[in-house]
Amino acid sequence: MPNVTFYLLIAQRHNSEQFACRLVDKTWQQGLAVHLHLRDEHHCRTVDQLLWQWREDSFIPHETIDISSEPCTSVTLGCRPPQLNHAQLVINLTDDTPDYFQGFSRICEIVSQTPEDIAISREKFKRYRQSGIEPTVHKLA
């Protein structure tokens, strides 16, 4: 069973994508492979640009993948499921619980404080529980 963590962005210092970049940076520095699961191609381009500009003093090597591509870096992003043997962590920035989540050791869900995002996240939380997973919640003030 994967470890599922919900990060509640109480303070609006960062949006979901910015906080995801922060998690990617931390994970990458620890030497772990991470995949950002995104809504669509446009969302992929947006997050790709954020990763390129994340910090002036460092670079996070990353690539956008599709279902047929073999990843060359430890940080990938895409709107299709990643290869099971690649990522140790999946950061889910979609409105759905990924069908493939059982194959990974860790899933992160990022919750901004919009009413729509809160409602979507509550549904995701219920789905994880129905799958036998008790998610962890971290409130970030």
Side-chain angles (χ1 to χ4, degrees), residues 65-113:
I65 60 167
D66 64 30
I67 201 158
S68 63
S69 59
E70 181 74 31
C72 297
T73 64
S74 62
V75 177
T76 59
L77 54 147
C79 52
R80 293 175 189 81
Q83 294 183 7
L84 286 175
N85 60 352
H86 171 67
Q88 295 156 308
L89 166 67
V90 173
I91 299 172
N92 182 28
L93 293 178
T94 71
D95 292 343
D96 297 315
T97 305
D99 295 335
Y100 59 84
F101 74 87
Q102 295 283 2
F104 294 91
S105 59
R106 189 160 176 221
I107 308 285
C108 290
E109 299 281 355
I110 301 170
V111 185
S112 69
Q113 292 303 293

Short mmCIF file of all heavy atoms in Angstrom, two decimals, residues 65-113:
data_model
loop_
_atom_site.label_atom_id
_atom_site.label_comp_id
_atom_site.label_asym_id
_atom_site.label_seq_id
_atom_site.Cartn_x
_atom_site.Cartn_y
_atom_site.Cartn_z
N ILE A 65 7.21 13.20 -20.29
CA ILE A 65 7.18 11.87 -20.89
C ILE A 65 5.78 11.55 -21.39
O ILE A 65 4.80 12.14 -20.97
CB ILE A 65 7.64 10.78 -19.90
CG1 ILE A 65 6.72 10.74 -18.67
CG2 ILE A 65 9.08 10.98 -19.50
CD1 ILE A 65 6.90 9.51 -17.81
N ASP A 66 5.71 10.60 -22.29
CA ASP A 66 4.42 10.04 -22.68
C ASP A 66 4.47 8.55 -22.37
O ASP A 66 5.46 8.04 -21.87
CB ASP A 66 4.06 10.35 -24.13
CG ASP A 66 5.01 9.71 -25.13
OD1 ASP A 66 5.57 8.64 -24.83
OD2 ASP A 66 5.18 10.28 -26.22
N ILE A 67 3.40 7.86 -22.68
CA ILE A 67 3.27 6.46 -22.27
C ILE A 67 4.35 5.55 -22.88
O ILE A 67 4.70 4.52 -22.33
CB ILE A 67 1.86 5.95 -22.56
CG1 ILE A 67 1.55 4.73 -21.71
CG2 ILE A 67 1.66 5.65 -24.03
CD1 ILE A 67 0.09 4.47 -21.53
N SER A 68 4.92 5.95 -24.02
CA SER A 68 5.88 5.08 -24.69
C SER A 68 7.33 5.46 -24.42
O SER A 68 8.23 4.72 -24.80
CB SER A 68 5.63 5.13 -26.20
OG SER A 68 5.86 6.45 -26.68
N SER A 69 7.57 6.59 -23.78
CA SER A 69 8.95 7.02 -23.62
C SER A 69 9.60 6.45 -22.37
O SER A 69 8.97 6.27 -21.34
CB SER A 69 9.05 8.54 -23.64
OG SER A 69 8.28 9.11 -22.62
N GLU A 70 10.86 6.15 -22.50
CA GLU A 70 11.68 5.66 -21.39
C GLU A 70 12.34 6.87 -20.73
O GLU A 70 13.05 7.62 -21.38
CB GLU A 70 12.75 4.71 -21.94
CG GLU A 70 13.65 4.10 -20.89
CD GLU A 70 12.95 3.03 -20.08
OE1 GLU A 70 12.07 2.35 -20.60
OE2 GLU A 70 13.31 2.90 -18.89
N PRO A 71 12.10 7.12 -19.45
CA PRO A 71 12.65 8.31 -18.80
C PRO A 71 14.17 8.30 -18.76
O PRO A 71 14.79 7.26 -18.53
CB PRO A 71 12.08 8.28 -17.40
CG PRO A 71 11.24 7.08 -17.29
CD PRO A 71 11.28 6.33 -18.55
N CYS A 72 14.77 9.47 -18.97
CA CYS A 72 16.22 9.64 -18.90
C CYS A 72 16.64 10.40 -17.64
O CYS A 72 17.82 10.49 -17.36
CB CYS A 72 16.71 10.39 -20.13
SG CYS A 72 16.42 9.52 -21.67
N THR A 73 15.69 10.96 -16.93
CA THR A 73 16.00 11.72 -15.71
C THR A 73 15.16 11.17 -14.56
O THR A 73 14.20 10.43 -14.77
CB THR A 73 15.67 13.22 -15.88
OG1 THR A 73 14.27 13.36 -16.06
CG2 THR A 73 16.43 13.84 -17.03
N SER A 74 15.52 11.57 -13.35
CA SER A 74 14.77 11.10 -12.19
C SER A 74 13.53 11.94 -11.91
O SER A 74 12.74 11.59 -11.05
CB SER A 74 15.66 11.05 -10.95
OG SER A 74 16.12 12.34 -10.64
N VAL A 75 13.37 13.05 -12.64
CA VAL A 75 12.18 13.89 -12.48
C VAL A 75 11.44 13.92 -13.81
O VAL A 75 11.99 14.33 -14.83
CB VAL A 75 12.56 15.33 -12.06
CG1 VAL A 75 11.31 16.21 -11.97
CG2 VAL A 75 13.33 15.33 -10.74
N THR A 76 10.20 13.43 -13.77
CA THR A 76 9.39 13.41 -14.98
C THR A 76 8.05 14.09 -14.72
O THR A 76 7.61 14.20 -13.58
CB THR A 76 9.14 11.97 -15.47
OG1 THR A 76 8.48 11.22 -14.44
CG2 THR A 76 10.44 11.28 -15.87
N LEU A 77 7.42 14.52 -15.80
CA LEU A 77 6.08 15.05 -15.70
C LEU A 77 5.31 14.62 -16.92
O LEU A 77 5.87 14.39 -17.99
CB LEU A 77 6.07 16.57 -15.53
CG LEU A 77 6.81 17.43 -16.52
CD1 LEU A 77 6.07 18.75 -16.68
CD2 LEU A 77 8.20 17.72 -15.98
N GLY A 78 4.01 14.46 -16.74
CA GLY A 78 3.16 14.05 -17.84
C GLY A 78 1.72 13.89 -17.41
O GLY A 78 1.40 13.94 -16.23
N CYS A 79 0.87 13.69 -18.41
CA CYS A 79 -0.56 13.52 -18.13
C CYS A 79 -1.00 12.07 -18.34
O CYS A 79 -2.18 11.77 -18.33
CB CYS A 79 -1.39 14.49 -18.97
SG CYS A 79 -1.04 14.47 -20.72
N ARG A 80 -0.04 11.19 -18.52
CA ARG A 80 -0.31 9.75 -18.62
C ARG A 80 0.44 9.03 -17.49
O ARG A 80 1.38 9.58 -16.94
CB ARG A 80 0.14 9.24 -19.97
CG ARG A 80 -0.69 9.80 -21.11
CD ARG A 80 -0.14 9.39 -22.46
NE ARG A 80 -0.80 10.09 -23.53
CZ ARG A 80 -0.50 11.32 -23.93
NH1 ARG A 80 0.45 11.99 -23.33
NH2 ARG A 80 -1.15 11.89 -24.91
N PRO A 81 0.06 7.82 -17.17
CA PRO A 81 0.74 7.10 -16.08
C PRO A 81 2.23 6.91 -16.36
O PRO A 81 2.61 6.58 -17.48
CB PRO A 81 0.04 5.74 -16.03
CG PRO A 81 -1.27 5.96 -16.71
CD PRO A 81 -1.05 7.04 -17.73
N PRO A 82 3.07 7.11 -15.36
CA PRO A 82 4.51 6.86 -15.53
C PRO A 82 4.78 5.37 -15.48
O PRO A 82 3.93 4.58 -15.07
CB PRO A 82 5.12 7.57 -14.33
CG PRO A 82 4.05 7.46 -13.28
CD PRO A 82 2.74 7.57 -14.03
N GLN A 83 5.98 5.00 -15.88
CA GLN A 83 6.38 3.60 -15.77
C GLN A 83 6.53 3.24 -14.30
O GLN A 83 7.07 4.01 -13.51
CB GLN A 83 7.68 3.37 -16.51
CG GLN A 83 7.54 3.57 -17.99
CD GLN A 83 8.83 3.26 -18.72
OE1 GLN A 83 9.79 2.78 -18.14
NE2 GLN A 83 8.84 3.53 -20.01
N LEU A 84 6.02 2.09 -13.93
CA LEU A 84 6.00 1.68 -12.53
C LEU A 84 7.39 1.58 -11.91
O LEU A 84 7.56 1.81 -10.73
CB LEU A 84 5.27 0.34 -12.37
CG LEU A 84 3.76 0.41 -12.49
CD1 LEU A 84 3.17 -0.99 -12.44
CD2 LEU A 84 3.16 1.27 -11.40
N ASN A 85 8.38 1.23 -12.69
CA ASN A 85 9.71 1.06 -12.12
C ASN A 85 10.50 2.36 -12.06
O ASN A 85 11.65 2.37 -11.68
CB ASN A 85 10.50 0.03 -12.91
CG ASN A 85 10.68 0.44 -14.37
OD1 ASN A 85 10.10 1.41 -14.84
ND2 ASN A 85 11.48 -0.31 -15.09
N HIS A 86 9.89 3.47 -12.44
CA HIS A 86 10.63 4.73 -12.47
C HIS A 86 10.47 5.54 -11.18
O HIS A 86 11.43 5.77 -10.47
CB HIS A 86 10.20 5.57 -13.68
CG HIS A 86 10.77 6.95 -13.65
ND1 HIS A 86 12.12 7.19 -13.78
CD2 HIS A 86 10.19 8.15 -13.45
CE1 HIS A 86 12.34 8.49 -13.67
NE2 HIS A 86 11.19 9.10 -13.47
N ALA A 87 9.28 6.00 -10.91
CA ALA A 87 9.07 6.96 -9.82
C ALA A 87 8.85 6.29 -8.47
O ALA A 87 8.15 5.31 -8.37
CB ALA A 87 7.88 7.87 -10.15
N GLN A 88 9.47 6.87 -7.45
CA GLN A 88 9.22 6.45 -6.07
C GLN A 88 8.12 7.30 -5.45
O GLN A 88 7.49 6.90 -4.49
CB GLN A 88 10.51 6.56 -5.27
CG GLN A 88 11.57 5.61 -5.78
CD GLN A 88 12.97 6.08 -5.44
OE1 GLN A 88 13.34 7.21 -5.71
NE2 GLN A 88 13.74 5.19 -4.87
N LEU A 89 7.92 8.47 -6.02
CA LEU A 89 6.92 9.41 -5.53
C LEU A 89 6.14 9.95 -6.72
O LEU A 89 6.73 10.30 -7.74
CB LEU A 89 7.62 10.58 -4.81
CG LEU A 89 6.80 11.83 -4.52
CD1 LEU A 89 5.71 11.54 -3.50
CD2 LEU A 89 7.70 12.95 -4.04
N VAL A 90 4.83 10.01 -6.57
CA VAL A 90 3.98 10.64 -7.57
C VAL A 90 3.30 11.83 -6.90
O VAL A 90 2.69 11.69 -5.85
CB VAL A 90 2.90 9.67 -8.13
CG1 VAL A 90 1.93 10.40 -9.05
CG2 VAL A 90 3.56 8.52 -8.87
N ILE A 91 3.46 13.01 -7.51
CA ILE A 91 2.76 14.21 -7.06
C ILE A 91 1.58 14.38 -8.01
O ILE A 91 1.77 14.61 -9.21
CB ILE A 91 3.67 15.44 -7.07
CG1 ILE A 91 4.86 15.23 -6.13
CG2 ILE A 91 2.87 16.69 -6.68
CD1 ILE A 91 5.92 16.31 -6.19
N ASN A 92 0.39 14.22 -7.49
CA ASN A 92 -0.82 14.25 -8.31
C ASN A 92 -1.42 15.65 -8.31
O ASN A 92 -1.90 16.12 -7.28
CB ASN A 92 -1.83 13.23 -7.78
CG ASN A 92 -3.08 13.19 -8.62
OD1 ASN A 92 -3.06 13.46 -9.81
ND2 ASN A 92 -4.18 12.83 -8.01
N LEU A 93 -1.41 16.30 -9.47
CA LEU A 93 -2.02 17.62 -9.61
C LEU A 93 -3.25 17.58 -10.51
O LEU A 93 -3.58 18.55 -11.17
CB LEU A 93 -0.99 18.62 -10.16
CG LEU A 93 0.18 18.95 -9.23
CD1 LEU A 93 1.14 19.92 -9.89
CD2 LEU A 93 -0.30 19.51 -7.91
N THR A 94 -3.91 16.43 -10.52
CA THR A 94 -5.14 16.29 -11.29
C THR A 94 -6.33 16.29 -10.34
O THR A 94 -6.17 16.24 -9.13
CB THR A 94 -5.16 15.00 -12.13
OG1 THR A 94 -5.30 13.87 -11.25
CG2 THR A 94 -3.90 14.85 -12.97
N ASP A 95 -7.53 16.28 -10.91
CA ASP A 95 -8.75 16.27 -10.10
C ASP A 95 -9.18 14.86 -9.72
O ASP A 95 -10.18 14.69 -9.02
CB ASP A 95 -9.89 16.96 -10.85
CG ASP A 95 -9.65 18.45 -11.00
OD1 ASP A 95 -8.79 19.00 -10.29
OD2 ASP A 95 -10.31 19.07 -11.85
N ASP A 96 -8.47 13.85 -10.19
CA ASP A 96 -8.84 12.46 -9.93
C ASP A 96 -7.76 11.73 -9.15
O ASP A 96 -6.60 12.13 -9.15
CB ASP A 96 -9.06 11.72 -11.25
CG ASP A 96 -10.21 12.29 -12.05
OD1 ASP A 96 -11.27 12.55 -11.46
OD2 ASP A 96 -10.04 12.47 -13.27
N THR A 97 -8.15 10.66 -8.52
CA THR A 97 -7.19 9.75 -7.91
C THR A 97 -6.64 8.88 -9.04
O THR A 97 -7.41 8.26 -9.76
CB THR A 97 -7.88 8.84 -6.87
OG1 THR A 97 -8.54 9.67 -5.92
CG2 THR A 97 -6.88 7.96 -6.16
N PRO A 98 -5.32 8.85 -9.23
CA PRO A 98 -4.79 8.06 -10.34
C PRO A 98 -5.14 6.58 -10.20
O PRO A 98 -5.03 6.02 -9.11
CB PRO A 98 -3.28 8.27 -10.25
CG PRO A 98 -3.07 9.37 -9.28
CD PRO A 98 -4.30 9.50 -8.45
N ASP A 99 -5.57 5.96 -11.29
CA ASP A 99 -5.90 4.54 -11.27
C ASP A 99 -4.70 3.68 -10.91
O ASP A 99 -4.85 2.60 -10.36
CB ASP A 99 -6.43 4.10 -12.64
CG ASP A 99 -7.74 4.76 -12.99
OD1 ASP A 99 -8.47 5.16 -12.07
OD2 ASP A 99 -8.02 4.89 -14.20
N TYR A 100 -3.53 4.15 -11.20
CA TYR A 100 -2.31 3.37 -11.04
C TYR A 100 -1.61 3.58 -9.69
O TYR A 100 -0.52 3.09 -9.46
CB TYR A 100 -1.33 3.73 -12.16
CG TYR A 100 -0.94 5.18 -12.18
CD1 TYR A 100 0.07 5.66 -11.37
CD2 TYR A 100 -1.61 6.08 -13.00
CE1 TYR A 100 0.41 7.00 -11.37
CE2 TYR A 100 -1.27 7.42 -13.01
CZ TYR A 100 -0.25 7.87 -12.19
OH TYR A 100 0.07 9.20 -12.20
N PHE A 101 -2.24 4.28 -8.75
CA PHE A 101 -1.55 4.68 -7.52
C PHE A 101 -1.05 3.51 -6.70
O PHE A 101 -0.09 3.63 -5.95
CB PHE A 101 -2.40 5.62 -6.67
CG PHE A 101 -3.55 4.98 -5.95
CD1 PHE A 101 -3.37 4.41 -4.71
CD2 PHE A 101 -4.82 4.95 -6.51
CE1 PHE A 101 -4.42 3.82 -4.03
CE2 PHE A 101 -5.87 4.37 -5.85
CZ PHE A 101 -5.68 3.80 -4.61
N GLN A 102 -1.68 2.35 -6.79
CA GLN A 102 -1.26 1.19 -5.98
C GLN A 102 0.17 0.74 -6.29
O GLN A 102 0.79 0.09 -5.48
CB GLN A 102 -2.22 0.02 -6.21
CG GLN A 102 -3.62 0.28 -5.73
CD GLN A 102 -3.77 0.18 -4.22
OE1 GLN A 102 -2.83 -0.05 -3.49
NE2 GLN A 102 -4.99 0.38 -3.76
N GLY A 103 0.68 1.09 -7.48
CA GLY A 103 2.02 0.64 -7.86
C GLY A 103 3.16 1.48 -7.32
O GLY A 103 4.32 1.18 -7.57
N PHE A 104 2.86 2.52 -6.56
CA PHE A 104 3.91 3.41 -6.08
C PHE A 104 3.95 3.43 -4.56
O PHE A 104 2.97 3.18 -3.89
CB PHE A 104 3.67 4.83 -6.62
CG PHE A 104 3.83 4.87 -8.11
CD1 PHE A 104 2.74 4.67 -8.94
CD2 PHE A 104 5.08 5.06 -8.68
CE1 PHE A 104 2.88 4.66 -10.30
CE2 PHE A 104 5.23 5.06 -10.05
CZ PHE A 104 4.14 4.86 -10.86
N SER A 105 5.12 3.77 -4.03
CA SER A 105 5.27 3.76 -2.57
C SER A 105 4.75 5.03 -1.92
O SER A 105 4.38 5.01 -0.75
CB SER A 105 6.74 3.54 -2.19
OG SER A 105 7.55 4.55 -2.74
N ARG A 106 4.69 6.13 -2.69
CA ARG A 106 4.25 7.38 -2.08
C ARG A 106 3.50 8.24 -3.10
O ARG A 106 3.93 8.40 -4.23
CB ARG A 106 5.47 8.14 -1.57
CG ARG A 106 5.09 9.33 -0.76
CD ARG A 106 6.23 9.80 0.12
NE ARG A 106 5.77 11.01 0.80
CZ ARG A 106 6.51 12.07 0.99
NH1 ARG A 106 7.75 12.08 0.59
NH2 ARG A 106 6.02 13.13 1.59
N ILE A 107 2.38 8.80 -2.65
CA ILE A 107 1.56 9.71 -3.46
C ILE A 107 1.38 10.99 -2.65
O ILE A 107 1.07 10.94 -1.46
CB ILE A 107 0.15 9.13 -3.75
CG1 ILE A 107 0.22 7.71 -4.33
CG2 ILE A 107 -0.66 10.08 -4.63
CD1 ILE A 107 0.64 7.61 -5.74
N CYS A 108 1.56 12.14 -3.30
CA CYS A 108 1.31 13.43 -2.65
C CYS A 108 0.17 14.13 -3.37
O CYS A 108 0.15 14.20 -4.60
CB CYS A 108 2.55 14.31 -2.68
SG CYS A 108 3.85 13.73 -1.60
N GLU A 109 -0.75 14.63 -2.59
CA GLU A 109 -1.87 15.44 -3.09
C GLU A 109 -1.70 16.83 -2.49
O GLU A 109 -1.47 16.96 -1.29
CB GLU A 109 -3.21 14.84 -2.65
CG GLU A 109 -3.48 13.44 -3.14
CD GLU A 109 -3.94 13.38 -4.59
OE1 GLU A 109 -4.17 14.45 -5.20
OE2 GLU A 109 -4.07 12.27 -5.11
N ILE A 110 -1.84 17.85 -3.32
CA ILE A 110 -1.67 19.23 -2.86
C ILE A 110 -3.02 19.93 -2.97
O ILE A 110 -3.66 19.91 -4.01
CB ILE A 110 -0.61 19.96 -3.70
CG1 ILE A 110 0.73 19.21 -3.59
CG2 ILE A 110 -0.46 21.40 -3.25
CD1 ILE A 110 1.80 19.68 -4.53
N VAL A 111 -3.44 20.53 -1.86
CA VAL A 111 -4.78 21.11 -1.77
C VAL A 111 -4.69 22.61 -1.53
O VAL A 111 -4.27 23.06 -0.45
CB VAL A 111 -5.58 20.46 -0.61
CG1 VAL A 111 -7.00 20.98 -0.60
CG2 VAL A 111 -5.53 18.95 -0.69
N SER A 112 -5.07 23.40 -2.54
CA SER A 112 -5.18 24.84 -2.32
C SER A 112 -6.51 25.09 -1.61
O SER A 112 -7.33 24.18 -1.45
CB SER A 112 -5.12 25.60 -3.65
OG SER A 112 -6.27 25.35 -4.41
N GLN A 113 -6.74 26.29 -1.18
CA GLN A 113 -7.90 26.56 -0.35
C GLN A 113 -9.10 27.13 -1.12
O GLN A 113 -9.94 27.80 -0.53
CB GLN A 113 -7.51 27.50 0.79
CG GLN A 113 -6.57 26.83 1.78
CD GLN A 113 -7.15 25.56 2.36
OE1 GLN A 113 -8.11 25.60 3.10
NE2 GLN A 113 -6.57 24.42 2.03
#
